[in-house]
Amino acid sequence: MAENQELANPKRDSQSSPGATSREKEVAASAYEAFLVGKYDESLKQLEALQELNKDDYKISMNKAVVQFYRSGQTTTGGLKQALVAMKNQVHTSADVDGLDDVENSLLSYNQAIVHYHMRQFSDAVAIAERLYQFLEPFEEKFALAVCFLLVDLYLLTFRPEKAVHLLAVLDKLSVQGSNKNGKGENNNWNKDGSSQRSEFTAVMEAAKSKMHQYKVRAYIQMKSSKACKREIKSVMNTAGNSAPSLFLKSNFEYLRGNYRKAVKLLNSSNIAEHPGPIKTGECVRCMFWNNLGCIHFAMGKHNLGVFYFKKALQENEHTCAQLGDCSNAAKRFTGIPMCALLANKRYELLYNCGIQLLHIGRPLAAFECLMEAVQVYHSNPRLWLRLAECCVSANKGGSEQESKGLPCKKGIVQSVVGQGYHRKIILASQSTQNTIYSEGQSAAIPVASMEFAAICLRNALLLLPEHHQQEAPAENCPKGSQSGATETASDTSDACSGKGQEADKFLSAAPSSPLRKQEVENLRCSILACSAYVALALGDNLMALNHAEKLLHQTKLSGSLKFLGHLYAAEALISLDRISDAIAHLNPENVSDVSVGVLTNEQDQGSDKGDEPVESSGRHALTCYPSSVTSARTMMLFNLGSAYCLRSEYDKARKCLHQAACMLSTKDVPPEAILLGVYLELQNGNTQLALQIIKRNQLLPVAFQRVSPDSRKKPVQPPPSFTQVQRK
């Protein structure tokens, strides 16, 4: 749970400005006392009087802006930000916070960081807080501690747990040193006012221990460090007891370990009714509760239940926003709502979660609507663009109504029968939906679930990925597959990949989920290329499909499933380009040695410190026709190879391929496209009756491979359609 960071009060700069007269100090003290008891009008009057005495001190203007902000109920965040920027320019300090050697400007910079934090501008807040940390020693103890906690919180929100752990270790050392020096009566380097402030600092550190343990748990959860996390969980439970934050953290820990039932039990045991509201904590605990239940059931494979819980979370989020104000309105995003509650709105994270769940249960149109709203905020997430493309592909498969809803359906080759007697005709079903334009007369840029829009989404996803040369400096000691998509496998050695000050080079931001590691980026690239090849084939862009397929096959560490699809898509594109010989080389069954998804099998990602992002791996979604073994994959290659031989009129070779493939499968597992190929071969050989028998029985007959009529001279039959389009993995 994110801590509710607060603005620094005006005490230090109001009462101890260098060179201040006794009258100025008296007025400043009165203003500060009125501010503490909530008499903001009185405090403003005193500050105005103080400004009359000293018109050149910008710190008085800053204190007036802070008091006015509190008088408005902390609802004018945008105005406060503009006022602080104007003051920053007044003291001739650039926006990137250079020149912090003047410690007197530290409160102004800190308040700017707090405003950026609550407005979700985390990068700007981190830049300011890191520069403040460089000048930590001259600060007062309480202020230095506030800077450290702010920076720890920002590191966790931006998924840099290693830096957060390092900073917490520094705080631990400071706490121990402060306690030892206080006991020995020695002077503290930070403290120039005596032992009373040392004792006060020690008391503050003791009170902050529970918060530090919670920060450590959040960091270790992000690092997937189970042993260290388990140790800190015990400390949290000892210091905070069975509070909602501690139980949520423990539930997240059990969730990452795969103990889903225990995670649900811990969530249910938390008394969320007694937890303070979003005004005090910046979080809607009820929303988090339903959201985390949705994540757990997603990991358990109970996607319908997951959708139910995410909808409950969305309802709770809307209820919270209605109480706070219209925080979903972008135009009024930072006005009318208390600053401390700006982070409470989780609408877009929840829509992201719900969209992924809907995609898994075979409801691509509903998933598309959710993800399209989420992409307005998380437009730099390449994996989200891939999911949008998957929604478009699933919505345009061209199958039956049952198939479009993710339900099992029986496929045959007969569409209907018309006429009677001598005029009775059998109409065969079309087995290919390729080269179909799905939104004629409409711009491809319009966000609808079309294949044209899928191509745009995939292009965006590829552009957001780093270039290969930026990713080819591998960390030799990194564990392979330490994270894969969403709830990656936990690893106690995940920090082996972390270097000093190089986190940005090793991770790719994928908000709202965890950043992608180097291998995950390459896995994602392979999935995007495979999907791009499929979409290009569906749109009839065979050259682009061939380009994507060849790029896919040249990727390093390519999973067996995507390698199989790469050969199929390349072959189909080459056949459409009348390059049959090149296609036959891709359709060699020996090209298939593995159809596993490799490191891409896990489907759940910990998207934040609460584990609230069920982000997906780059895997397939309910592909009923995808081969489950190397044998079935090779039979599919053989069926397609036979089709390619037919296009070159090499019917004997096609018959051998069909025979070999049919012997490797049971009768019920032969795809309808293969049956059509058998019908085509019999018609070419003049065996009309045998072709009719194959159609009636909807299966290949063994006798069909023995009866060959070499002297058949029938009129040419239209070549069979290629059936290499298999849904992308």
Side-chain angles (χ1 to χ4, degrees):
M1 304 173 80
E3 295 295 329
N4 189 0
Q5 304 289 348
E6 297 180 353
L7 290 170
N9 63 51
K11 175 181 178 181
R12 178 175 177 272
D13 285 329
S14 294
Q15 291 183 276
S16 55
S17 297
T21 64
S22 58
R23 172 59 179 164
E24 291 175 353
K25 291 181 180 180
E26 182 182 347
V27 175
S30 300
Y32 176 64
E33 290 174 1
F35 173 80
L36 287 181
V37 296
K39 297 181 179 179
Y40 302 123
D41 291 328
E42 178 66 24
S43 181
L44 278 175
K45 289 181 181 179
Q46 297 293 337
L47 288 172
E48 288 174 357
L50 184 62
Q51 198 167 34
E52 290 294 327
L53 299 174
N54 189 352
K55 296 182 179 180
D56 297 329
D57 193 350
Y58 81 92
K59 288 174 283 187
I60 300 175
S61 300
M62 182 189 71
N63 291 339
K64 286 178 62 178
V66 172
V67 173
Q68 289 171 347
F69 176 70
Y70 275 91
R71 187 177 65 171
S72 69
Q74 304 183 34
T75 58
T76 57
T77 308
L80 177 62
K81 180 184 177 182
Q82 293 177 359
L84 293 175
V85 170
M87 293 171 201
K88 201 68 176 177
N89 295 332
Q90 180 182 344
V91 294
H92 307 290
T93 306
S94 60
D96 59 355
V97 204
D98 287 333
L100 275 177
D101 53 313
D102 184 7
V103 180
E104 293 299 318
N105 300 330
S106 58
L107 279 179
L108 174 58
S109 299
Y110 176 79
N111 286 340
Q112 280 188 305
I114 290 296
V115 172
H116 285 306
Y117 168 87
H118 285 285
M119 295 175 75
R120 301 176 189 261
Q121 298 166 352
F122 299 130
S123 298
D124 294 334
V126 168
I128 297 174
E130 285 182 338
R131 292 183 181 272
L132 281 171
Y133 181 72
Q134 295 176 3
F135 299 90
L136 201 64
E137 186 172 349
F139 296 158
E140 295 177 358
E141 286 84 347
K142 283 187 177 180
F143 181 66
L145 192 63
V147 171
C148 290
F149 278 140
L150 172 62
L151 193 52
V152 169
D153 214 343
L154 287 168
Y155 281 150
L156 293 174
L157 288 171
T158 54
F159 299 100
R160 287 183 270 188
E162 291 84 0
K163 286 191 172 183
V165 169
H166 173 73
L167 190 52
L168 289 169
V170 172
L171 285 174
D172 279 335
K173 290 180 181 179
L174 291 176
S175 176
V176 172
Q177 291 174 2
S179 299
N180 292 339
K181 292 181 179 181
N182 187 36
K184 295 178 181 180
E186 297 178 3
N187 291 327
N188 192 333
N189 291 333
W190 281 4
N191 188 1
K192 301 178 181 179
D193 298 329
S195 59
S196 60
Q197 291 188 10
R198 287 199 302 270
S199 301
E200 185 180 0
F201 175 70
T202 303
V204 170
M205 290 301 300
E206 288 293 330
K209 279 187 177 180
S210 176
K211 183 190 295 186
M212 291 174 65
H213 287 306
Q214 291 184 18
Y215 276 134
K216 287 179 182 179
V217 172
R218 291 171 57 187
Y220 288 135
I221 284 176
Q222 288 190 12
M223 294 168 65
K224 309 296 188 293
S225 182
S226 299
K227 292 181 180 178
C229 187
K230 185 176 182 180
R231 182 175 61 251
E232 291 299 330
I233 283 285
K234 293 180 180 179
S235 300
V236 169
M237 301 305 293
N238 290 334
T239 56
N242 291 329
S243 62
S246 59
L247 289 173
F248 272 48
L249 287 172
K250 190 173 183 180
S251 173
N252 192 4
F253 171 66
E254 297 296 340
Y255 156 78
L256 290 177
R257 297 175 69 188
N259 300 330
Y260 303 126
R261 293 186 180 277
K262 188 173 182 180
V264 172
K265 186 177 180 180
L266 287 167
L267 280 178
N268 289 330
S269 64
S270 60
N271 192 354
I272 59 177
E274 296 181 358
H275 195 269
I279 295 295
K280 293 185 177 181
T281 64
E283 295 282 1
C284 176
V285 181
R286 290 181 178 275
C287 176
M288 293 165 58
F289 172 79
W290 295 115
N291 177 68
N292 292 356
L293 281 178
C295 292
I296 294 170
H297 285 85
F298 176 87
M300 296 170 68
K302 300 179 179 180
H303 301 303
N304 285 293
L305 268 177
V307 170
F308 170 77
Y309 288 126
F310 281 133
K311 287 183 177 179
K312 293 279 287 183
L314 279 167
Q315 293 172 1
E316 195 65 47
N317 187 75
E318 290 176 2
H319 178 67
T320 300
C321 289
Q323 289 180 330
L324 297 173
D326 190 11
C327 55
S328 61
N329 190 334
K332 302 178 180 179
R333 193 171 178 183
F334 304 122
T335 58
I337 306 162
M339 182 183 72
C340 54
L342 288 175
L343 294 175
N345 183 19
K346 304 294 183 183
R347 174 175 174 78
Y348 296 101
E349 293 93 326
L350 294 172
L351 285 171
Y352 185 92
N353 293 353
C354 198
I356 300 303
Q357 291 273 31
L358 290 167
L359 187 57
H360 274 266
I361 61 176
R363 296 174 58 188
L365 293 178
F368 182 82
E369 295 298 326
C370 292
L371 296 180
M372 270 308 304
E373 192 166 350
V375 83
Q376 298 176 35
V377 175
Y378 303 114
H379 46 77
S380 61
N381 185 348
R383 194 161 50 186
L384 177 53
W385 287 107
L386 172 61
R387 299 308 161 219
L388 280 168
E390 287 180 340
C391 292
C392 298
V393 170
S394 297
N396 290 279
K397 286 190 298 184
S400 64
E401 182 179 357
Q402 282 184 312
E403 187 179 5
S404 65
K405 294 181 178 180
L407 302 175
C409 57
K410 184 178 180 180
K411 291 185 177 180
I413 64 171
V414 177
Q415 179 175 331
S416 61
V417 178
V418 297
Q420 293 181 352
Y422 181 78
H423 299 286
R424 184 169 178 264
K425 304 291 183 183
I426 297 175
I427 301 176
L428 300 182
S430 174
Q431 301 295 329
S432 178
T433 59
Q434 61 176 330
N435 302 337
T436 303
I437 304 302
Y438 292 91
S439 55
E440 295 181 3
Q442 190 178 50
S443 172
I446 296 177
V448 294
S450 65
M451 297 299 275
E452 292 87 351
F453 187 70
I456 294 177
C457 293
L458 293 167
R459 195 176 305 122
N460 291 343
L462 280 175
L463 290 173
L464 287 169
L465 292 179
E467 296 294 333
H468 279 287
H469 63 82
Q470 296 177 356
Q471 295 289 327
E472 289 180 355
E476 309 250 341
N477 297 325
C478 291
K480 294 182 181 179
S482 58
Q483 289 186 356
S484 60
T487 313
E488 301 88 344
T489 39
S491 171
D492 291 332
T493 60
S494 62
D495 57 348
C497 291
S498 62
K500 295 182 179 179
Q502 295 181 351
E503 285 83 358
D505 297 331
K506 294 183 179 296
F507 299 101
L508 175 68
S509 176
S513 60
S514 301
L516 299 172
R517 294 177 182 267
K518 173 183 176 294
Q519 186 55 50
E520 290 178 290
V521 171
E522 297 309 313
N523 295 338
L524 182 61
R525 190 192 309 276
C526 294
S527 293
I528 294 172
L529 288 172
C531 192
S532 299
Y534 178 84
V535 170
L537 286 172
L539 295 174
D541 193 348
N542 298 305
L543 281 174
M544 186 60 69
L546 180 60
N547 181 35
H548 288 313
E550 289 178 343
K551 283 184 179 179
L552 175 64
L553 292 172
H554 283 90
Q555 297 297 309
T556 58
K557 297 183 180 179
L558 182 64
S559 65
S561 59
L562 294 182
K563 183 179 180 181
F564 166 67
L565 290 177
H567 284 297
L568 279 183
Y569 295 159
E572 183 171 352
L574 288 166
I575 287 175
S576 299
L577 294 170
D578 200 24
R579 294 167 56 183
I580 311 299
S581 298
D582 294 333
I584 288 175
H586 280 284
L587 293 174
N588 185 352
E590 298 301 320
N591 289 334
V592 182
S593 58
D594 179 27
V595 291
S596 65
V597 294
V599 297
L600 304 176
T601 55
N602 215 334
E603 290 277 322
Q604 179 72 21
D605 190 5
Q606 185 223 327
S608 75
D609 52 282
K610 302 179 293 296
D612 58 354
E613 305 297 338
V615 189
E616 61 300 346
S617 72
S618 302
R620 57 194 171 98
H621 299 290
L623 300 181
T624 56
C625 61
Y626 193 83
S628 58
S629 65
V630 175
T631 300
S632 56
R634 288 183 173 179
T635 58
M636 187 172 292
M637 283 287 201
L638 286 169
F639 286 139
N640 284 281
L641 185 59
S643 180
Y645 281 132
C646 283
L647 293 174
R648 293 206 307 191
S649 300
E650 297 179 359
Y651 301 119
D652 290 339
K653 290 183 178 180
R655 183 179 294 275
K656 289 179 181 178
C657 290
L658 192 62
H659 184 198
Q660 184 180 352
C663 293
M664 298 167 66
L665 289 177
S666 62
T667 304
K668 63 179 181 179
D669 293 332
V670 176
E673 295 90 348
I675 296 175
L676 282 176
L677 179 59
V679 172
Y680 174 79
L681 288 173
E682 295 311 316
L683 291 176
Q684 282 288 354
N685 288 314
N687 301 326
T688 307
Q689 294 300 319
L690 189 54
L692 286 173
Q693 289 295 319
I694 293 175
I695 293 173
K696 290 178 180 179
R697 298 189 182 184
N698 195 30
Q699 65 182 32
L700 293 175
L701 303 178
V703 69
F705 303 116
Q706 301 171 6
R707 297 180 55 185
V708 181
S709 178
D711 298 328
S712 57
R713 292 289 185 269
K714 302 297 180 182
K715 67 178 181 178
V717 182
Q718 290 297 323
S722 173
F723 52 91
T724 58
Q725 275 208 54
V726 180
Q727 283 291 327
R728 185 188 63 76
K729 250 199 142 197

